[in-house]
Amino acid sequence: MSINKYIDHTLLKPTASKTDIKILCDEAKQYRFYSVCVNSYYVSLAKHLLTRSNVKVCSVVGFPLGAMSTDAKVFEATKAVEDGADEIDMVINIGMLKSKNFVAVYKDICDVKLAIGSVTLKVILEISELSKNEIIKACQICLDAKADFIKTSTGFSKSGATLTAVKMIRKTIKNKAKIKASGGIKNIETALKYIDAGADRIGTSSGIDIVTEKKSAITSSDY
């Protein structure tokens, strides 16, 4: 298994500088990660830095709260794609989900998906804020809105991904969409557990630790 190809190498801190993004992109090229995941402001820079590489650029939208207007999310997503984003990770409208305004939640996702067309859309649920029934309902809405991935967490809430939630999401969506697990995944053992549970992608700022840990384990086994 090429664990590096599961990893979205992530830097979403508000303090991230241009130098930090350059380092992120250099690391992504060196370790051949699937993508870098950045705030939308840095999409054009990341795209430029990753020219002539196979590393994709992922942009978050409506991050990290998801509570802005749908029009704002559509504008941000469209601009990110124009700037070179290959994938969009948008945060669901958690308040509308909890209000049981499922039409608003659906429209929020659907409008972004329609705006970006064939570009991959991942919808962040923020599972730490949701009940089991709310997670299941959110998954069903994501499928109806033609989301490509369901993502567990922003990494900015009280907790991140859980194996229980990933298994629940997989059971709910079956093979109709993919899963991105993010938040708190910092070592190879944990990453592999999430992949075994059904995750198709891992969002982490610890990608280098994960891949170098795997290489160290392989090297050690040779002696």
Side-chain angles (χ1 to χ4, degrees):
M1 174 190 291
S2 299
I3 189 72
N4 54 311
K5 293 303 182 183
Y6 281 83
I7 293 174
D8 287 349
H9 193 38
T10 302
L11 179 58
L12 298 170
K13 293 179 180 178
T15 53
S17 67
K18 291 178 67 174
T19 299
D20 294 328
I21 298 300
K22 184 180 186 303
I23 293 170
L24 183 83
C25 292
D26 286 344
E27 291 170 344
K29 287 187 286 188
Q30 179 182 350
Y31 292 97
R32 298 181 181 181
F33 293 130
Y34 186 87
S35 79
V36 296
C37 187
V38 297
N39 284 297
S40 58
Y41 180 83
Y42 283 124
V43 168
S44 57
L45 174 62
K47 193 69 174 181
H48 171 72
L49 293 169
L50 292 168
T51 300
R52 294 187 295 277
S53 83
N54 292 322
V55 181
K56 296 185 182 298
V57 177
C58 172
S59 174
V60 291
V61 164
F63 193 87
L65 302 177
M68 57 289 298
S69 71
T70 297
D71 286 346
K73 290 181 183 178
V74 167
F75 180 86
E76 186 179 17
T78 303
K79 183 64 168 65
V81 171
E82 288 174 356
D83 287 345
D86 301 291
E87 301 186 338
I88 298 295
D89 287 21
M90 69 168 284
V91 184
I92 199 171
N93 192 318
I94 303 167
M96 288 300 96
L97 183 68
K98 287 192 164 291
S99 300
K100 294 184 169 53
N101 189 343
F102 303 134
V103 172
V105 178
Y106 168 81
K107 185 178 186 300
D108 195 50
I109 302 167
C110 191
D111 283 6
V112 171
K113 182 58 182 171
L114 287 171
I116 65 174
S118 61
V119 173
T120 296
L121 176 63
K122 309 189 201 87
V123 179
I124 308 172
L125 302 189
E126 201 69 286
I127 59 169
S128 63
E129 304 298 329
L130 304 178
S131 67
K132 176 181 176 180
N133 288 339
E134 286 170 339
I135 291 172
I136 291 171
K137 184 62 180 178
C139 288
Q140 293 167 341
I141 294 171
C142 287
L143 291 180
D144 289 342
K146 309 300 182 186
D148 301 286
F149 275 77
I150 293 170
K151 180 177 172 181
T152 61
S153 321
T154 62
F156 281 70
S157 189
K158 53 194 174 188
S159 63
T162 68
L163 288 169
T164 299
V166 169
K167 290 175 182 176
M168 184 193 314
I169 292 169
R170 176 54 68 203
K171 183 178 179 180
T172 302
I173 67 174
K174 298 182 172 55
N175 293 317
K176 296 176 182 177
K178 296 181 179 181
I179 298 172
K180 177 176 174 179
S182 63
I185 304 172
K186 299 182 181 298
N187 56 61
I188 184 67
E189 181 182 3
T190 305
L192 290 174
K193 284 180 179 178
Y194 277 101
I195 292 168
D196 288 342
D200 302 280
R201 197 83 61 80
I202 301 293
T204 181
S205 58
S206 302
I208 295 173
D209 292 336
I210 291 171
V211 297
T212 54
E213 186 180 351
K214 181 183 181 184
K215 288 178 181 177
S216 297
I218 292 171
T219 302
S220 298
S221 69
D222 291 337
Y223 293 93

